[in-house]
Short mmCIF file of all heavy atoms in Angstrom, two decimals:
data_model
loop_
_atom_site.label_atom_id
_atom_site.label_comp_id
_atom_site.label_asym_id
_atom_site.label_seq_id
_atom_site.Cartn_x
_atom_site.Cartn_y
_atom_site.Cartn_z
N GLU A 302 167.57 149.21 84.04
CA GLU A 302 166.29 149.94 84.06
C GLU A 302 166.64 151.39 83.91
O GLU A 302 167.12 152.07 84.85
CB GLU A 302 165.51 149.70 85.36
CG GLU A 302 164.67 148.47 85.28
CD GLU A 302 164.98 147.52 86.45
OE1 GLU A 302 164.88 147.95 87.60
OE2 GLU A 302 165.39 146.39 86.18
N MET A 303 166.44 151.91 82.72
CA MET A 303 166.83 153.29 82.45
C MET A 303 165.58 154.13 82.53
O MET A 303 164.70 154.00 81.73
CB MET A 303 167.55 153.33 81.13
CG MET A 303 168.77 154.14 81.22
SD MET A 303 169.68 154.21 79.67
CE MET A 303 168.47 154.47 78.42
N MET A 304 165.58 155.01 83.46
CA MET A 304 164.55 155.98 83.53
C MET A 304 164.82 157.04 82.46
O MET A 304 165.79 157.75 82.52
CB MET A 304 164.51 156.66 84.89
CG MET A 304 163.30 156.25 85.75
SD MET A 304 162.13 157.57 85.73
CE MET A 304 162.99 158.87 86.66
N VAL A 305 163.92 157.07 81.47
CA VAL A 305 164.19 158.04 80.40
C VAL A 305 163.37 159.28 80.60
O VAL A 305 162.15 159.20 80.89
CB VAL A 305 163.88 157.40 78.99
CG1 VAL A 305 164.03 158.37 77.89
CG2 VAL A 305 164.72 156.18 78.80
N GLU A 306 164.06 160.37 80.55
CA GLU A 306 163.34 161.63 80.78
C GLU A 306 163.97 162.70 79.87
O GLU A 306 164.96 162.40 79.16
CB GLU A 306 163.45 162.07 82.23
CG GLU A 306 164.95 162.25 82.64
CD GLU A 306 165.23 161.97 84.10
OE1 GLU A 306 164.31 162.15 84.89
OE2 GLU A 306 166.35 161.66 84.44
N THR A 307 163.44 163.86 79.84
CA THR A 307 164.11 164.94 79.12
C THR A 307 165.24 165.55 80.00
O THR A 307 164.97 165.89 81.12
CB THR A 307 163.04 166.02 78.77
OG1 THR A 307 162.07 165.41 78.00
CG2 THR A 307 163.70 167.12 77.94
N VAL A 308 166.44 165.52 79.39
CA VAL A 308 167.57 165.91 80.22
C VAL A 308 168.26 167.17 79.62
O VAL A 308 168.40 167.16 78.38
CB VAL A 308 168.64 164.74 80.23
CG1 VAL A 308 169.80 165.15 81.10
CG2 VAL A 308 167.99 163.51 80.75
N ASN A 309 168.57 168.11 80.40
CA ASN A 309 169.25 169.28 79.90
C ASN A 309 170.77 169.01 80.09
O ASN A 309 171.28 168.84 81.18
CB ASN A 309 168.85 170.51 80.71
CG ASN A 309 169.57 171.74 80.14
OD1 ASN A 309 170.29 171.66 79.16
ND2 ASN A 309 169.30 172.88 80.77
N LEU A 310 171.49 168.97 78.93
CA LEU A 310 172.91 168.66 78.95
C LEU A 310 173.72 169.68 79.76
O LEU A 310 174.71 169.40 80.40
CB LEU A 310 173.48 168.55 77.53
CG LEU A 310 173.10 167.27 76.78
CD1 LEU A 310 173.73 167.29 75.37
CD2 LEU A 310 173.53 166.04 77.57
N PHE A 311 173.19 170.91 79.69
CA PHE A 311 173.93 171.98 80.41
C PHE A 311 174.00 171.67 81.92
O PHE A 311 175.05 171.84 82.58
CB PHE A 311 173.21 173.33 80.29
CG PHE A 311 173.50 173.98 78.94
CD1 PHE A 311 174.02 173.22 77.88
CD2 PHE A 311 173.19 175.32 78.73
CE1 PHE A 311 174.24 173.82 76.67
CE2 PHE A 311 173.44 175.91 77.52
CZ PHE A 311 173.98 175.16 76.47
N GLY A 312 172.87 171.11 82.47
CA GLY A 312 172.82 170.76 83.83
C GLY A 312 173.85 169.72 84.20
O GLY A 312 174.57 169.76 85.18
N ILE A 313 173.90 168.65 83.36
CA ILE A 313 174.79 167.55 83.60
C ILE A 313 176.21 168.01 83.59
O ILE A 313 177.05 167.68 84.45
CB ILE A 313 174.56 166.44 82.60
CG1 ILE A 313 173.21 165.80 82.81
CG2 ILE A 313 175.68 165.36 82.68
CD1 ILE A 313 172.81 164.72 81.81
N ILE A 314 176.51 168.79 82.53
CA ILE A 314 177.95 169.22 82.39
C ILE A 314 178.31 170.08 83.59
O ILE A 314 179.43 169.96 84.11
CB ILE A 314 178.10 170.02 81.07
CG1 ILE A 314 177.94 169.05 79.89
CG2 ILE A 314 179.42 170.74 81.00
CD1 ILE A 314 177.81 169.76 78.55
N GLY A 315 177.43 170.91 84.03
CA GLY A 315 177.70 171.72 85.20
C GLY A 315 178.01 170.88 86.44
O GLY A 315 179.01 171.15 87.10
N ARG A 316 177.20 169.84 86.64
CA ARG A 316 177.43 168.97 87.80
C ARG A 316 178.78 168.28 87.73
O ARG A 316 179.57 168.25 88.68
CB ARG A 316 176.32 167.93 87.82
CG ARG A 316 175.18 168.30 88.74
CD ARG A 316 174.41 167.07 89.22
NE ARG A 316 173.98 166.17 88.16
CZ ARG A 316 172.91 166.40 87.34
NH1 ARG A 316 172.21 167.49 87.52
NH2 ARG A 316 172.55 165.55 86.48
N VAL A 317 179.13 167.76 86.53
CA VAL A 317 180.36 166.99 86.38
C VAL A 317 181.61 167.91 86.55
O VAL A 317 182.57 167.53 87.20
CB VAL A 317 180.42 166.27 85.00
CG1 VAL A 317 181.76 165.59 84.79
CG2 VAL A 317 179.28 165.27 84.90
N LEU A 318 181.47 169.15 86.05
CA LEU A 318 182.58 170.11 86.15
C LEU A 318 182.79 170.39 87.64
O LEU A 318 183.94 170.45 88.12
CB LEU A 318 182.30 171.36 85.39
CG LEU A 318 182.47 171.30 83.89
CD1 LEU A 318 182.35 172.66 83.26
CD2 LEU A 318 183.84 170.67 83.57
N THR A 319 181.75 170.62 88.38
CA THR A 319 181.88 170.89 89.82
C THR A 319 182.59 169.77 90.52
O THR A 319 183.40 169.98 91.35
CB THR A 319 180.45 171.07 90.40
OG1 THR A 319 179.75 172.00 89.54
CG2 THR A 319 180.58 171.63 91.82
N LYS A 320 182.21 168.53 90.09
CA LYS A 320 182.79 167.33 90.70
C LYS A 320 184.27 167.24 90.50
O LYS A 320 185.05 166.86 91.39
CB LYS A 320 182.09 166.11 90.11
CG LYS A 320 182.35 164.83 90.88
CD LYS A 320 181.30 163.78 90.52
CE LYS A 320 181.47 163.23 89.09
NZ LYS A 320 180.32 162.36 88.71
N PHE A 321 184.70 167.62 89.26
CA PHE A 321 186.12 167.44 88.92
C PHE A 321 187.02 168.67 89.22
O PHE A 321 188.22 168.58 89.13
CB PHE A 321 186.33 167.07 87.42
CG PHE A 321 186.08 165.62 87.18
CD1 PHE A 321 184.91 165.17 86.66
CD2 PHE A 321 187.10 164.69 87.44
CE1 PHE A 321 184.71 163.83 86.46
CE2 PHE A 321 186.89 163.38 87.24
CZ PHE A 321 185.67 162.89 86.69
N LYS A 322 186.34 169.74 89.60
CA LYS A 322 187.08 171.01 89.80
C LYS A 322 188.25 170.82 90.80
O LYS A 322 189.41 171.21 90.49
CB LYS A 322 186.13 172.08 90.27
CG LYS A 322 186.74 173.50 90.26
CD LYS A 322 186.46 174.16 88.91
CE LYS A 322 186.96 175.57 88.92
NZ LYS A 322 188.31 175.69 88.39
N PRO A 323 187.96 170.22 91.99
CA PRO A 323 189.04 170.10 92.96
C PRO A 323 190.22 169.29 92.36
O PRO A 323 191.39 169.68 92.60
CB PRO A 323 188.40 169.37 94.12
CG PRO A 323 186.93 169.53 93.94
CD PRO A 323 186.72 169.68 92.47
N LEU A 324 189.94 168.15 91.71
CA LEU A 324 190.99 167.34 91.19
C LEU A 324 191.86 168.09 90.18
O LEU A 324 193.07 168.02 90.16
CB LEU A 324 190.40 166.06 90.52
CG LEU A 324 191.40 165.04 90.06
CD1 LEU A 324 192.19 164.45 91.22
CD2 LEU A 324 190.67 163.96 89.22
N ALA A 325 191.14 168.86 89.28
CA ALA A 325 191.81 169.66 88.25
C ALA A 325 192.72 170.67 88.88
O ALA A 325 193.89 170.85 88.49
CB ALA A 325 190.80 170.31 87.34
N ASP A 326 192.19 171.35 89.88
CA ASP A 326 193.01 172.39 90.60
C ASP A 326 194.24 171.76 91.21
O ASP A 326 195.33 172.27 91.09
CB ASP A 326 192.16 173.04 91.71
CG ASP A 326 191.08 173.94 91.12
OD1 ASP A 326 191.19 174.25 89.90
OD2 ASP A 326 190.11 174.34 91.79
N GLU A 327 193.99 170.62 91.80
CA GLU A 327 195.12 169.91 92.50
C GLU A 327 196.23 169.57 91.50
O GLU A 327 197.41 169.63 91.84
CB GLU A 327 194.55 168.62 93.08
CG GLU A 327 195.51 167.84 93.97
CD GLU A 327 194.87 166.55 94.38
OE1 GLU A 327 193.76 166.60 94.97
OE2 GLU A 327 195.46 165.48 94.11
N ARG A 328 195.82 169.25 90.27
CA ARG A 328 196.80 168.86 89.24
C ARG A 328 197.32 170.05 88.42
O ARG A 328 198.13 169.90 87.55
CB ARG A 328 196.19 167.87 88.23
CG ARG A 328 195.72 166.62 88.84
CD ARG A 328 196.56 165.45 88.32
NE ARG A 328 196.05 164.18 88.80
CZ ARG A 328 195.50 163.29 88.02
NH1 ARG A 328 195.40 163.54 86.73
NH2 ARG A 328 195.06 162.21 88.53
N GLY A 329 196.76 171.19 88.70
CA GLY A 329 197.19 172.38 87.97
C GLY A 329 196.62 172.40 86.56
O GLY A 329 197.28 172.85 85.62
N ILE A 330 195.52 171.81 86.35
CA ILE A 330 194.91 171.74 84.99
C ILE A 330 193.73 172.73 84.89
O ILE A 330 192.93 172.78 85.84
CB ILE A 330 194.43 170.35 84.71
CG1 ILE A 330 195.63 169.38 84.62
CG2 ILE A 330 193.63 170.28 83.38
CD1 ILE A 330 195.27 167.92 84.53
N LEU A 331 193.69 173.45 83.80
CA LEU A 331 192.62 174.37 83.64
C LEU A 331 191.38 173.61 83.03
O LEU A 331 191.47 173.06 81.97
CB LEU A 331 193.05 175.48 82.66
CG LEU A 331 192.01 176.58 82.37
CD1 LEU A 331 191.65 177.35 83.63
CD2 LEU A 331 192.53 177.48 81.26
N LEU A 332 190.33 173.60 83.80
CA LEU A 332 189.09 172.87 83.35
C LEU A 332 188.05 173.93 82.97
O LEU A 332 187.69 174.76 83.78
CB LEU A 332 188.63 171.98 84.54
CG LEU A 332 187.37 171.19 84.27
CD1 LEU A 332 187.57 170.21 83.06
CD2 LEU A 332 186.99 170.40 85.53
N GLU A 333 187.59 173.85 81.77
CA GLU A 333 186.59 174.84 81.35
C GLU A 333 185.52 174.21 80.47
O GLU A 333 185.70 173.09 79.94
CB GLU A 333 187.26 176.00 80.61
CG GLU A 333 188.04 175.47 79.41
CD GLU A 333 188.79 176.61 78.71
OE1 GLU A 333 188.70 177.76 79.12
OE2 GLU A 333 189.44 176.30 77.66
N ALA A 334 184.45 174.91 80.29
CA ALA A 334 183.34 174.41 79.46
C ALA A 334 182.87 175.54 78.53
O ALA A 334 182.87 176.67 78.88
CB ALA A 334 182.21 173.94 80.32
N LYS A 335 182.48 175.10 77.34
CA LYS A 335 181.99 176.08 76.37
C LYS A 335 180.77 175.59 75.71
O LYS A 335 180.54 174.33 75.58
CB LYS A 335 183.05 176.32 75.26
CG LYS A 335 184.26 177.05 75.80
CD LYS A 335 185.18 177.42 74.69
CE LYS A 335 186.24 178.31 75.28
NZ LYS A 335 187.38 178.39 74.35
N ALA A 336 179.90 176.46 75.27
CA ALA A 336 178.72 176.07 74.58
C ALA A 336 178.70 176.75 73.22
O ALA A 336 179.01 177.96 73.16
CB ALA A 336 177.47 176.39 75.35
#
Side-chain angles (χ1 to χ4, degrees):
E302 276 125 58
M303 226 177 43
M304 249 258 292
V305 176
E306 59 207 336
T307 301
V308 182
N309 183 3
L310 285 180
F311 284 15
I313 293 177
I314 292 169
R316 267 204 305 282
V317 176
L318 283 187
T319 311
K320 192 162 71 188
F321 278 100
K322 191 92 174 94
L324 186 64
D326 288 345
E327 189 185 304
R328 300 247 185 112
I330 294 171
L331 179 66
L332 180 60
E333 56 182 2
K335 291 190 171 160

